[in-house]
Amino acid sequence: MSVEEDGGLSQKPSTSAQASTGSYVLRPLVQDIPLSTDEYTTENQITCVELSDGNLYIGTSHAEILHFVSIPADPEDESAAPQYIFASRLQPAYNAQASALSRTSPGVQQILVLPRVQKACILCNGTLSFYSLPELSPAFNNTTVPNCTWVGGVDLNSTAKEEENGIVVMICVKNKTRLVRISDEARRVRDIEFPGCLVSTRRRNFACVADARSYALLDVENQQKISLFPISSLDENLGGGRVENISSAAERSSSSSRPISNEGSSDGKAHGRSTSLGAFVGGLGKRQTSPRSGSRERSGLATPEADARDKSPVQASSHNRNVSTPETPSPMPPTLEKPLPVIPARSDSLRGHSPARLQSAVALKPHICSPTPAEFLLTTGTTVNEAGVGIFINLDGEVVRGTIQFDRYPHAVVVDGQGVEGEPTSLEEDPEGFVLATMTKSGDDGEHNVIEIQRWDTDDGGHKEWLNVPEGPLPAARPKNDVAQPSPDTFSIRKINTSVIVPFPEIGQLLRGKRLRLGKTSQTARGVQESPPETSPEGWEISRDKEEVEFGRRLIGRASCLVLWSGSAVWWIVKNPLALKLDAAINEVLPDRYGGSTYRELDRSRIIQIINGVRGQEASSETDFLSLEYIRQKASLILFADLLARPSALTGIQAADMRITEGLFMEGGVDPRGILSLIPLLRNEVIEGPKGMWIHAGLIPVVESYRVMVTKSFEEVATKDILNVIKRYLGAWRQRKGFGSIADEAEVFQSVDAALLLVLLEQDGKDPSRTSKPSPTRMELYALVDSGVDCFERAIGLLETYKRLFVLSRLYQSRRMARKVLETWKRIIEGEHDEGGGLSDGEHEVRRYLVNIKDTGLVDEYGTWLARRNPALGVQVFTNDSSRVKWEPHQVVMLLRRKAPDAVKVYLEHLVFGKKNVKYANDLISYYLDSVLTILGSSEEARDILAQSYQTYRALRPPKPTYRQFIIENAVPFPWWHDRLRLLELIGGSHGSDFAYDVEAILTRIEPFEQDLVPESIILDGRQGRHKQALRLLTHGLGDYHTAVNYCLLGGASIFHPTSGSAGLVAPSREEQAILFGYLLTEFLRIEDVSDRLERTSELLERFGSWYDAREVLDLIPESWSVELVSGFLVSAFRRLVHERNEATITKALSGAENLQIAAAFVEKCSALGPQIENVS
């Protein structure tokens, strides 16, 4: 089917598996129907069709019903379409004599099936008869109703529960309309005075009906009528909008519902209270007059024609609204009388014609449909060859919605779909509402029978589609020179009672899975062996293919209740499945339909327009869900492949187009391996796996065609924009890891990860800013490997190929492969080229990593390797308190001595100085001595440095720092100098008096360098108690007077160490300190420089005079010194002596007073005791 935008007709009817872009297609129901027999020589035509529970009933113009029975389809037949076989030919009852007199024999006019009660009502040549389903055996004792014009009016709002007690139908005869309840018997419900009814549609109590000239709205419960408008706008004599009471006196006096029995005669006489079958049949067979008056105005029995002739519309309406009796319901409210809808103006071709011509021109067939539970659709027009109008009215008779325009007045009209505004009653119900009308339309090559299709529920700007009606041959032979012309009597359309699933094998052929064969896959490209035969049996693919075919069969059904008959064939009118409709629309855009390897320009905007048409559309079934998925995948695949195949990169592609293409990529969800197979280089990363890659079968021709069409190299294809699209697409797919809905998850994500890694490597390698700062692409690359990839082995190969060692180490870290991480870092640190860098401070990274792992062997191996390269850093691996591998000190010492000897001293320093573990102090002292003595024995420069330091320090004028502070502040950048400082600190008593070391051994080792190692000699002399020697070296060897004073105060226990180290030391007694100060005074008096001698001696005596005896000091001081030089000492000494004498006098006086107090107390005690007499023998 094709959509004609310019009003033309499709020259190719969509009646088979031909692809169609329209809303509806035709599918054959029954072909080559045996309409004619040997008994008839006249042409026989199909007049009506009905289907119920697998039984197809076809009425013909020869007053026959052809009964067909469905046979289930062959399970091996993929189409799965049931076949209908001819079962019987039935001739319904009718009055042949009356038909002959009328000279019109329409044959079977209606077949109304009532599946709930298993009955059928058949109207044939004006006679209504009743039958039982499914074999159409006569029911109700062969009851017939003559002079019948219509049967129908079944409540479209009724439910299955409401129909349990029977179904109410409207039987229309020339003189009235009767409501009858059909069940096991037929019961009259009530009569309605509306004669000549030709068609009716009912919703609950409201029925929209039509006679030969106009439409009316009936309230069948209250028996009132609202006249609407004429069928033909040329019929100017008819008025509308009147509210009339249509109940009769007979209805008011009779029972509202009586069963129909077999009693009584059928002579056509009516008896008001009779319950016989004859009363039912006879009452419908002739016109009944009112017991009141014969006036048509008052009885309400008059036809619209009579009303128009006898009274004006206003008079009739006014009079009827005032009729109200106790037996009749109240009339409708006056608000129902309102203006009629605008009717199309009379055609100019009919102006000025005679009334006789106009009478023939207005013979239009009425059409009534009900698209919603509260609306009716009516048609009106001028002539059959001119345009028609569809008008919607509600249950109040008001015009709603807009009008529908028909190119010609339709032969038949049906509505399909509930409309987008309605509430769905089931998931399978289509929300789109369509109006389908049959008509004969002029085309370039003559007249064509067509179905005009348009929406009724939305305003789409008058968009229409036309579906050609197949010209089926008629059974009767025609003369050779008799050319068949389109006739409205040879075709029609109907909405049947039962919705039937119509198969569309093409849906399954598009949506089912099918294996996409890519030939040489990444397995062979990378040397990976295919799975052994036992893991993928030969029959597996055949079995999978059968499963997919069976799955496709589940999707091919489409529900329909619309049939079309033309000639000797009956067709289903089916909503074009979404997959087929959109697939055909996309295929129309594709140049050459996947043919050839030469690129042709693609109209990308039309593809995007097709996808925008379904954007936001919700799937109501599994088929629709897969259809939308398939269409999005196909569109995204085509749009992206077109970008790759374009010979001139992305010239002419707008940014919005790229965004839309990328968005479709994300929405489509096509197997990314299919996309990657189109891209050079990346196609090598596709892994099919032992079971292959399965995608929608409809996508395989697209992939295969574009794989041939894309002939450019990867460098030509991999523009910045293309790589960004691919990168984001693959990144979005990575977010789906773990989704259970993804088939072949392992192969899919291995391919995705490998391709994404390759794209990022390419992008990062071409980024000019990567050497100065980490680029966004570099961060994405790190994030990818840090999060882990499924293609682990392939990722290693790619990173090794691109020389990205640091990225490789991060990949190993994602798998917690500590050994591989350290091996890779070791390669980088030892100088192997790492493209892109990243490991800026490798040794520190190794140290941090070793601290955080719990593998003793790796810590041993790489900790000692690091200690060999950088002892200070390597030792931290073993000394860090937060390290997950704990080591005992002796283990580390042994390990380092064996594998990293240079790091032993650093580790011992940590133990002794950091952890205050004096157990290893002697070992550390030995290492320090080795370092210092070795350099002094081999380097004259080192000895000169030491000598110069002594000379420089002695030359400093007071106040000056201690020698220790001096050598620290003026340290030279040599390891041995650092070791000497540590040695001085260690042997100088920084670890307290409890720390003991082998003084003799040290003295022995440093004896050859005694002149060079003055501070060391001082400390060792103090340790041995040789205080005079120590103070002599401090005073004359170093000139460190401040340290000499401290030596006396501390007793030589701890010098040359940080101040904080002496907090726990115990000072010697005052007597010992006085002895040491005496030694010091003697040495100060021997200072060669006179000024220094006088200054240092005076200061010493003034500050520490209390430790000296004045007489001894005076004996030592040379007589040549003036008293002024020692005046401070003498003053303090004399003051001390006076103080001591005064203190002694006071003490003596206090002692005398105390003695007197005790003597007085003794006298008092004795007096109190009195004398005692003792006998002396």
Side-chain angles (χ1 to χ4, degrees):
M1 182 177 63
S2 63
V3 179
E4 303 294 334
E5 301 292 345
D6 57 356
L9 291 175
S10 170
Q11 302 301 320
K12 296 182 180 180
S14 299
T15 58
S16 62
Q18 179 183 355
S20 170
T21 61
S23 300
Y24 285 85
V25 293
L26 300 181
R27 283 292 187 267
L29 176 57
V30 179
Q31 303 289 312
D32 300 324
I33 299 173
L35 295 176
S36 298
T37 62
D38 296 338
E39 300 179 8
Y40 300 98
T41 58
T42 59
E43 184 179 272
N44 193 10
Q45 299 175 354
I46 298 175
T47 56
C48 56
V49 175
E50 188 56 270
L51 187 144
S52 175
D53 196 22
N55 293 273
L56 178 65
Y57 307 102
I58 300 176
T60 69
S61 59
H62 283 174
E64 294 180 329
I65 292 182
L66 307 182
H67 182 194
F68 290 80
V69 179
S70 67
I71 298 177
D74 185 358
E76 299 299 326
D77 184 4
E78 188 175 346
S79 67
Q83 301 295 319
Y84 287 86
I85 62 172
F86 181 70
S88 63
R89 188 186 299 269
L90 172 69
Q91 292 185 337
Y94 67 95
N95 191 334
Q97 183 178 1
S99 299
L101 293 175
S102 67
R103 297 182 180 180
T104 59
S105 300
V108 178
Q109 298 164 268
Q110 281 184 267
I111 302 175
L112 175 65
V113 296
L114 307 172
R116 292 286 181 184
V117 295
Q118 289 295 295
K119 294 294 185 291
C121 304
I122 298 177
L123 178 60
C124 180
N125 289 331
T127 300
L128 177 65
S129 52
F130 304 91
Y131 297 88
S132 297
L133 298 178
E135 70 281 357
L136 296 184
S137 58
F140 307 144
N141 297 325
N142 290 317
T143 299
T144 60
V145 180
N147 299 322
C148 185
T149 59
W150 172 265
V151 61
V154 176
D155 183 10
L156 300 181
N157 289 355
S158 64
T159 62
K161 185 175 182 180
E162 293 173 347
E163 293 179 352
E164 291 178 356
N165 297 326
I167 301 175
V168 176
V169 299
M170 298 176 67
I171 300 176
C172 307
V173 293
K174 292 183 178 180
N175 60 346
K176 68 176 64 179
T177 298
R178 172 167 290 179
L179 269 67
V180 178
R181 187 180 301 278
I182 303 295
S183 58
D184 293 337
E185 56 182 356
R187 291 176 177 269
R188 180 175 70 89
V189 177
R190 64 175 56 85
D191 290 341
I192 301 173
E193 298 301 326
F194 186 82
C197 178
L198 299 180
V199 62
S200 67
T201 299
R202 183 163 65 93
R203 293 283 187 178
R204 296 299 183 190
N205 296 330
F206 297 93
C208 191
V209 296
D211 55 17
R213 298 183 64 185
S214 66
Y215 297 100
L217 185 64
L218 304 182
D219 184 344
V220 298
E221 181 68 26
N222 298 316
Q223 302 207 34
Q224 291 182 328
K225 178 183 77 172
I226 302 176
S227 299
L228 298 176
F229 48 82
I231 300 170
S232 172
S233 60
L234 300 177
D235 198 349
E236 297 178 343
N237 294 325
L238 292 179
R242 296 170 298 178
V243 180
E244 306 176 46
N245 192 319
I246 55 176
S247 62
S248 64
E251 175 66 22
R252 291 192 297 270
S253 62
S254 62
S255 173
S256 63
S257 179
R258 297 184 179 275
I260 300 175
S261 66
N262 202 24
E263 299 176 0
S265 62
S266 58
D267 57 357
K269 297 180 181 181
H271 303 281
R273 299 180 62 85
S274 173
T275 60
S276 65
L277 180 63
F280 168 64
V281 177
L284 291 177
K286 56 171 52 178
R287 181 184 297 274
Q288 295 182 356
T289 59
S290 172
R292 288 185 177 183
S293 169
S295 173
R296 297 189 188 107
E297 294 88 338
R298 299 186 61 184
S299 66
L301 299 178
T303 62
E305 297 90 331
D307 290 337
R309 288 192 300 269
D310 295 344
K311 281 197 173 185
S312 67
V314 175
Q315 291 174 332
S317 176
S318 175
H319 181 80
N320 287 328
R321 284 199 302 271
N322 294 330
V323 176
S324 178
T325 62
E327 295 82 9
T328 62
S330 300
M332 300 291 285
T335 56
L336 290 179
E337 185 177 359
K338 49 179 62 63
L340 290 176
V342 177
I343 306 300
R346 181 184 299 186
S347 172
D348 293 339
S349 63
L350 298 177
R351 296 184 185 275
H353 287 287
S354 64
R357 293 283 301 275
L358 293 178
Q359 182 67 23
S360 62
V362 298
L364 299 179
K365 183 178 179 181
H367 301 295
I368 304 175
C369 301
S370 181
T372 70
E375 292 177 324
F376 297 101
L377 172 62
L378 316 177
T379 59
T380 183
T382 53
T383 66
V384 293
N385 294 323
E386 294 193 9
V389 178
I391 300 176
F392 294 90
I393 65 168
N394 60 17
L395 300 181
D396 294 329
E398 298 175 339
V399 176
V400 293
R401 301 183 185 273
T403 59
I404 292 180
Q405 302 294 327
F406 300 103
D407 282 16
R408 286 193 178 182
Y409 191 83
H411 306 152
V413 178
V414 295
V415 293
D416 188 31
Q418 63 174 353
V420 294
E421 300 173 357
E423 295 183 0
T425 57
S426 67
L427 292 177
E428 299 295 333
E429 191 170 357
D430 201 325
E432 296 180 323
F434 286 88
V435 176
L436 292 86
T438 58
M439 61 185 68
T440 301
K441 188 173 175 62
S442 298
D444 296 337
D445 54 351
E447 297 284 329
H448 292 274
N449 294 332
V450 299
I451 301 175
E452 184 183 273
I453 303 169
Q454 55 186 312
R455 295 289 295 271
W456 62 263
D457 57 341
T458 59
D459 183 7
D460 56 357
H463 174 76
K464 296 181 181 180
E465 303 172 14
W466 288 275
L467 177 61
N468 280 354
V469 176
E471 298 291 346
L474 296 177
R478 296 180 182 272
K480 293 182 180 180
N481 58 355
D482 185 10
V483 179
Q485 295 295 329
S487 170
D489 298 330
T490 62
F491 73 101
S492 189
I493 188 174
R494 173 174 171 75
K495 192 170 187 177
I496 62 174
N497 181 272
T498 306
S499 180
V500 177
I501 301 298
V502 181
F504 279 84
E506 304 94 319
I507 300 178
Q509 294 169 4
L510 288 178
L511 302 184
R512 75 179 184 88
K514 190 174 181 181
R515 184 170 184 177
L516 175 63
R517 300 186 180 277
L518 301 178
K520 186 179 181 180
T521 65
S522 60
Q523 285 111 329
T524 54
R526 299 197 295 265
V528 180
Q529 296 296 325
E530 296 283 354
S531 299
E534 58 269 19
T535 62
S536 181
E538 292 184 1
W540 181 90
E541 185 173 350
I542 299 175
S543 175
R544 170 70 184 272
D545 197 64
K546 288 182 179 179
E547 291 176 3
E548 292 293 343
V549 171
E550 187 62 30
F551 173 75
R553 288 179 180 174
R554 297 197 346 243
L555 308 175
I556 65 176
R558 183 79 185 191
S560 177
C561 58
L562 303 180
V563 293
L564 167 74
W565 59 87
S566 174
S568 61
V570 180
W571 308 77
W572 288 111
I573 305 177
V574 196
K575 204 68 160 304
N576 195 4
L578 186 63
L580 301 184
K581 177 181 177 180
L582 298 179
D583 187 69
I586 292 176
N587 289 339
E588 284 186 353
V589 183
L590 296 180
D592 294 342
R593 185 68 183 280
Y594 319 128
S597 58
T598 304
Y599 175 79
R600 287 181 172 83
E601 188 74 21
L602 175 69
D603 189 352
R604 300 174 60 86
S605 62
R606 288 186 61 186
I607 299 287
I608 294 173
Q609 183 179 6
I610 292 171
I611 295 301
N612 288 337
V614 297
R615 192 174 299 278
Q617 181 172 339
E618 297 291 339
S620 59
S621 63
E622 182 183 20
T623 302
D624 284 351
F625 176 81
L626 293 175
S627 299
L628 291 172
E629 178 187 72
Y630 163 72
I631 291 301
R632 292 189 181 104
Q633 290 182 0
K634 184 171 183 177
S636 62
L637 189 61
I638 291 173
L639 290 175
F640 180 73
D642 177 69
L643 296 178
L644 301 179
R646 298 177 77 88
S648 56
L650 302 181
T651 304
I653 302 298
Q654 301 295 329
D657 190 335
M658 290 293 294
R659 289 194 299 270
I660 292 173
T661 300
E662 184 175 345
L664 288 176
F665 247 7
M666 305 304 178
E667 296 175 10
V670 64
D671 191 324
R673 294 177 294 175
I675 298 293
L676 297 176
S677 68
L678 302 175
I679 307 171
L681 187 62
L682 296 186
R683 64 175 55 135
N684 295 331
E685 307 305 325
V686 174
I687 299 178
E688 289 188 70
K691 297 181 180 180
M693 180 172 62
W694 294 73
I695 61 175
H696 290 300
L699 300 179
I700 291 181
V702 181
V703 177
E704 293 177 346
S705 173
Y706 277 103
R707 286 191 69 202
V708 176
M709 197 178 302
V710 179
T711 57
K712 296 187 292 185
S713 65
F714 180 76
E715 288 70 20
E716 295 172 320
V717 169
T719 63
K720 179 180 179 181
D721 291 335
I722 290 292
L723 288 180
N724 284 333
V725 170
I726 297 172
K727 178 177 65 178
R728 289 189 288 267
Y729 169 69
L730 296 175
W733 258 94
R734 277 178 52 84
Q735 302 300 319
R736 304 183 185 184
K737 286 187 178 182
F739 288 12
S741 58
I742 298 177
D744 302 326
E745 182 177 9
E747 290 79 9
V748 167
F749 289 114
Q750 287 181 35
S751 303
V752 167
D753 288 348
L756 180 57
L757 178 60
L758 184 55
V759 168
L760 290 173
L761 288 173
E762 287 288 335
Q763 279 192 316
D764 188 58
K766 298 176 182 177
D767 190 348
S769 65
R770 64 190 178 89
T771 57
S772 58
K773 61 180 180 179
S775 63
T777 303
R778 178 76 59 84
M779 295 298 101
E780 293 174 357
L781 179 60
Y782 290 165
L784 173 65
V785 297
D786 289 347
S787 62
V789 294
D790 291 354
C791 59
F792 185 71
E793 295 298 332
R794 178 54 180 163
I796 294 174
L798 287 173
L799 294 174
E800 290 283 6
T801 302
Y802 281 81
K803 301 296 183 182
R804 303 305 295 269
L805 297 183
F806 178 67
V807 182
L808 177 61
S809 71
R810 297 183 73 128
L811 176 66
Y812 286 135
Q813 287 186 68
S814 69
R815 292 288 184 95
R816 300 183 181 278
M817 301 175 67
R819 178 171 294 278
K820 290 294 185 180
V821 174
L822 294 168
E823 284 180 0
T824 309
W825 284 349
K826 181 178 178 181
R827 291 166 59 187
I828 298 173
I829 294 171
E830 290 182 346
E832 187 171 343
H833 178 63
D834 176 27
E835 185 70 29
L839 192 66
S840 58
D841 194 353
E843 293 180 349
H844 279 83
E845 287 294 333
V846 171
R847 189 218 26 111
R848 283 191 288 268
Y849 193 77
L850 290 173
V851 167
N852 293 320
I853 63 175
K854 199 176 181 179
D855 189 325
T856 305
L858 287 179
V859 176
D860 180 342
E861 179 179 353
Y862 287 93
T864 54
W865 169 80
L866 183 61
R868 288 193 298 272
R869 289 185 57 87
N870 189 336
L873 200 61
V875 165
Q876 295 180 22
V877 175
F878 304 96
T879 61
N880 196 306
D881 292 334
S882 61
S883 177
R884 302 184 67 183
V885 177
K886 303 300 181 182
W887 298 86
E888 293 296 331
H890 68 277
Q891 294 177 322
V892 179
V893 172
M894 292 176 60
L895 181 66
L896 294 177
R897 282 176 175 169
R898 186 174 68 253
K899 295 184 177 181
D902 292 341
V904 175
K905 181 186 67 175
V906 179
Y907 181 70
L908 292 176
E909 286 179 343
H910 164 75
L911 293 178
V912 175
F913 293 103
K915 296 297 184 178
K916 304 301 180 182
N917 188 346
V918 297
K919 178 180 179 180
Y920 296 94
N922 285 311
D923 294 334
L924 183 58
I925 291 173
S926 177
Y927 271 96
Y928 286 151
L929 288 174
D930 290 342
S931 174
V932 174
L933 297 181
T934 300
I935 194 67
L936 291 178
S938 61
S939 174
E940 185 69 28
E941 180 184 4
R943 292 194 297 271
D944 292 342
I945 291 174
L946 288 177
Q948 185 66 31
S949 69
Y950 301 147
Q951 183 179 357
T952 303
Y953 183 75
R954 284 195 298 265
L956 294 176
R957 301 301 300 172
K960 60 181 180 180
T962 65
Y963 181 73
R964 178 183 180 279
Q965 292 174 336
F966 174 77
I967 60 177
I968 291 176
E969 293 172 358
N970 298 275
V972 293
F974 297 127
W976 65 269
W977 187 272
H978 170 268
D979 292 344
R980 180 170 180 251
L981 293 178
R982 285 290 192 174
L983 176 63
L984 290 173
E985 182 179 347
L986 191 59
I987 65 178
S990 62
H991 288 71
S993 58
D994 294 336
F995 169 55
Y997 49 85
D998 191 349
V999 177
E1000 293 295 338
I1002 298 175
L1003 282 172
T1004 303
R1005 294 191 63 183
I1006 69 172
E1007 185 177 1
F1009 307 97
E1010 185 175 0
Q1011 299 300 322
D1012 299 314
L1013 299 177
V1014 176
E1016 289 82 354
S1017 299
I1018 294 171
I1019 295 172
L1020 295 176
D1021 285 341
R1023 282 281 181 174
Q1024 290 182 312
R1026 296 161 56 182
H1027 301 302
K1028 287 184 179 182
Q1029 179 68 20
L1031 291 173
R1032 184 180 300 113
L1033 292 175
L1034 279 171
T1035 304
H1036 306 292
L1038 290 179
D1040 189 355
Y1041 310 122
H1042 181 76
T1043 302
V1045 172
N1046 286 338
Y1047 185 94
C1048 296
L1049 292 173
L1050 298 176
S1054 178
I1055 59 174
F1056 294 106
H1057 59 79
T1059 304
S1060 60
S1062 60
L1065 297 177
V1066 179
S1069 64
R1070 190 172 181 84
E1071 289 75 13
E1072 293 177 352
Q1073 290 177 343
I1075 294 173
L1076 294 177
F1077 274 115
Y1079 296 155
L1080 182 59
L1081 177 60
T1082 301
E1083 297 302 327
F1084 275 10
L1085 291 173
R1086 295 176 182 175
I1087 296 176
E1088 294 181 1
D1089 188 276
V1090 176
S1091 60
D1092 281 348
R1093 184 193 315 155
L1094 294 175
E1095 184 177 353
R1096 299 279 74 80
T1097 304
S1098 299
E1099 182 182 2
L1100 177 64
L1101 292 174
E1102 185 176 356
R1103 290 181 58 194
F1104 303 100
S1106 60
W1107 275 271
Y1108 291 99
D1109 182 80
R1111 183 178 297 279
E1112 294 178 357
V1113 171
L1114 292 175
D1115 292 340
L1116 291 175
I1117 292 176
E1119 294 181 358
S1120 60
W1121 284 20
S1122 66
V1123 176
E1124 184 179 0
L1125 293 176
V1126 292
S1127 59
F1129 166 72
L1130 294 175
V1131 170
S1132 62
F1134 291 152
R1135 285 177 180 175
R1136 186 169 59 257
L1137 291 174
V1138 172
H1139 173 76
E1140 290 176 356
R1141 185 186 65 183
N1142 293 336
E1143 183 178 355
T1145 302
I1146 293 172
T1147 302
K1148 181 178 180 181
L1150 290 175
S1151 298
E1154 184 180 7
N1155 184 38
L1156 290 174
Q1157 288 179 349
I1158 294 174
F1162 176 75
V1163 170
E1164 290 177 359
K1165 188 71 174 174
C1166 289
S1167 298
L1169 292 175
Q1172 291 184 0
I1173 300 174
E1174 295 182 0
N1175 294 322
V1176 178
S1177 57

